[in-house]
Amino acid sequence: MTFRRLTLFRRLVVAMSIVALVAVCASVLFLYVRFQAANDAFREETLSTFAQDMQRQFASDPQLTGGPATALKTRIKELGGQFAVVTDTGRVLASSETLDQPLVPVSNQKVRYFLLPGHDKVRALFGISMQLDGTNPVHFVQIAFPREHVIFDTVLEEFVTDIAWIWIPFVCLLLLVNILVLKFALKPLSHAAEEARQIGPSSIAARLTETRMPEDVLALVSAVNEALDRLQAGFLSLEQFSSHLAHELRTPLAIIKARLALSQDAIARKVEEDFEGVERLVSQLVDRVRIGGLHFEASDRVDLGDIGQRAAAFLAPVILSKGRDIELQPPLEPVVVSGAFDFIFRALRNLIENALNHTPPGTTITVTIFRCGITVSDSGPGYPPRWLEPVAVVGKPDSGAGGLGLGLSIVKETMIAHGGDLKLTNLPEGGASATMEFPIHQKAI
């Protein structure tokens, strides 16, 4: 099972989302704890106020029948509360209509808060037991209210409804703004990644743009550019060595071939034919080196029909001397593409020479110019199956053909540099077909 690797942008978005979620949860928890503590403190203060009022009324009116005492009892009843004035022995002196005993057993504590759990239809009560001053024996006043009937509950509920919920949209908006800022900040990095994708064998001098790059990313981009510099230097050194080697081999090969041509010996004729293959291989090696410097402007135009005609005329003497024919099928109108004339000419020459080496005597090599490119077909044994697969690497040794396939490798890289492709197929009636296909958008017909 494979997992998709997250991009840097997605990782940062996920991280910021987690931070925002944690911030919301932490804020909610803080508000809950903070206001729960404040709520309890407000309850205690409210109960203490009621108890003090009851103490004053009891001191002046022990029967609690006067006007102020009656108003206080009515207020307690309206809020759903209960009260009792009891002695230290637990005897009830005055209480709500429904009470005939203390709310909680009395104790030696001067002030004690208590919670009576709810049961059946009876709600939970939060109360206070306070010792009255100046009474002998000691008296206590006990008052309890339902928790939800304390005024501060309503205040807290309104706060959560009207104010606290604003925090969530605010955090979401802040997260969205951060994502947009992050996307803008990473734009230079995305541009550098796109530049890196465009670097290939035909653009080894290209480098990643360092301007407007974030300081912490600039170090990585600079290191990549330095690595590309070293790779370019090594590549150019190898290409220069190959070029020098090819040029050095040409002279002794030409001398040996000339001396063999003077001999009438049959073995010498055979060796001379072998040297033709070596000479062609050296020529292909030089072409391969030149591809490293392939460059053309977008305004450079070439006519594929003209290239096909020149290549056929150039190779016709050799083809006819070896008992083969060459046929050129020109287009009805010019086929103009963007490209480098010399490199396309050499690529087509390599395809024709490859067909010449693999087609039997008495057959014809056909060069067809069409709207999108050039096709070279022959009557040979066809290409090895591995060369016809999409993932095949053209240019690998082919033991069956007895060659390196260097010519096809040159054509392949030439087409890649021109934004096109080389397509190899085996014909149903036998033989092989190689097509140099150019992108349509580069042509002006």
Side-chain angles (χ1 to χ4, degrees):
M1 184 177 181
T2 58
F3 295 92
R4 184 178 180 183
R5 188 182 298 273
L6 293 177
T7 62
L8 177 61
F9 175 76
R10 290 178 178 175
R11 290 183 182 183
L12 293 176
V13 169
V14 171
M16 289 191 300
S17 301
I18 294 176
V19 171
L21 181 60
V22 171
V24 171
C25 294
S27 300
V28 171
L29 180 61
F30 171 79
L31 288 175
Y32 176 79
V33 174
R34 180 68 181 86
F35 282 99
Q36 187 65 33
N39 198 12
D40 291 340
F42 189 85
R43 285 191 180 96
E44 293 176 359
E45 183 177 351
T46 302
L47 290 171
S48 178
T49 300
F50 272 94
Q52 291 172 3
D53 288 344
M54 183 63 69
Q55 178 181 3
R56 287 192 294 269
Q57 295 303 323
F58 185 79
S60 60
D61 182 9
Q63 303 300 322
L64 299 178
T65 57
T70 302
L72 180 59
K73 292 189 293 182
T74 302
R75 180 57 178 164
I76 293 175
K77 183 178 180 181
E78 290 175 350
L79 294 177
Q82 296 180 344
F83 79 96
V85 179
V86 298
T87 64
D88 56 353
T89 60
R91 184 168 61 92
V92 176
L93 301 179
S95 67
S96 299
E97 298 175 357
T98 58
L99 286 181
D100 56 2
Q101 59 182 359
L103 292 173
V104 292
V106 296
S107 66
N108 295 328
Q109 291 178 288
K110 192 168 184 178
V111 177
R112 179 167 67 99
Y113 295 96
F114 57 86
L115 177 63
L116 299 178
H119 56 87
D120 297 332
K121 295 183 179 181
V122 179
R123 293 174 294 181
L125 299 176
F126 184 71
I128 184 174
S129 177
M130 176 184 295
Q131 180 179 332
L132 300 180
D133 297 331
T135 58
N136 189 18
V138 177
H139 294 168
F140 293 86
V141 59
Q142 297 178 348
I143 299 178
F145 290 102
R147 293 173 63 89
E148 64 273 15
H149 278 196
V150 178
I151 298 175
F152 194 72
D153 286 336
T154 304
V155 177
L156 179 60
E157 181 180 355
E158 291 180 356
F159 176 83
V160 173
T161 303
D162 300 335
I163 300 178
W165 282 106
I166 299 177
W167 175 243
I168 296 178
F170 173 76
V171 171
C172 294
L173 179 61
L174 181 62
L175 178 61
L176 178 61
V177 172
N178 287 337
I179 292 175
L180 295 177
V181 172
L182 179 63
K183 192 173 185 64
F184 176 78
L186 292 179
K187 191 174 182 180
L189 191 59
S190 300
H191 180 66
E194 185 61 30
E195 289 180 333
R197 293 189 188 97
Q198 303 301 324
I199 297 177
S202 61
S203 57
I204 59 174
R207 295 295 180 269
L208 304 183
T209 303
E210 297 184 3
T211 56
R212 296 182 302 139
M213 194 65 64
E215 192 66 27
D216 48 351
V217 180
L218 180 60
L220 175 61
V221 174
S222 299
V224 171
N225 285 337
E226 292 173 1
L228 291 175
D229 290 337
R230 294 190 294 271
L231 289 175
Q232 182 185 13
F235 181 80
L236 294 178
S237 176
L238 181 60
E239 295 285 5
Q240 187 178 20
F241 170 77
S242 301
S243 179
H244 289 168
L245 178 62
H247 283 291
E248 291 296 329
L249 287 175
R250 274 185 168 181
T251 301
L253 287 175
I255 295 174
I256 295 173
K257 185 178 179 181
R259 290 178 178 175
L260 290 172
L262 298 176
S263 175
Q264 301 299 322
D265 186 47
I267 298 179
R269 299 276 72 77
K270 180 62 176 175
V271 174
E272 183 181 2
E273 293 178 1
D274 293 339
F275 265 90
E276 288 180 358
V278 176
E279 189 176 20
R280 178 170 176 265
L281 179 60
V282 172
S283 177
Q284 289 179 341
L285 183 59
V286 173
D287 289 344
R288 174 65 183 80
V289 172
R290 288 174 178 171
I291 291 178
L294 193 159
H295 176 73
F296 63 93
E297 301 296 335
S299 59
D300 293 342
R301 294 288 190 270
V302 295
D303 184 359
L304 296 184
D306 181 41
I307 292 179
Q309 184 177 3
R310 293 194 184 192
F314 179 79
L315 294 173
V318 178
I319 294 174
L320 295 175
S321 66
K322 294 190 176 184
R324 282 83 164 172
D325 293 327
I326 183 168
E327 177 186 4
L328 176 65
Q329 296 181 355
L332 298 178
E333 57 185 12
V335 178
V336 181
V337 300
S338 297
F341 182 92
D342 290 341
F343 289 95
I344 297 176
F345 177 85
R346 293 192 188 99
L348 179 57
R349 187 191 68 188
N350 275 287
L351 287 183
I352 297 175
E353 290 177 346
N354 186 73
L356 175 62
N357 291 334
H358 294 86
T359 190
T363 58
T364 301
I365 300 172
T366 304
V367 179
T368 305
I369 314 297
F370 61 101
R371 182 171 177 267
C372 296
I374 306 175
T375 297
V376 177
S377 54
D378 58 56
S379 302
Y383 295 109
R386 67 177 182 276
W387 284 12
L388 303 178
E389 298 176 1
V391 295
V393 180
V394 177
K396 285 188 176 182
D398 176 23
S399 57
L404 293 176
L406 182 58
L408 293 178
S409 176
I410 293 172
V411 179
K412 181 76 171 179
E413 294 192 22
T414 301
M415 294 309 301
I416 291 176
H418 283 80
D421 194 13
L422 172 65
K423 295 184 177 180
L424 305 179
T425 57
N426 288 332
L427 301 176
E429 64 274 13
S433 174
T435 300
M436 299 166 55
E437 190 171 279
F438 293 83
I440 298 178
H441 69 273
Q442 286 191 346
K443 302 196 305 302
I445 299 178

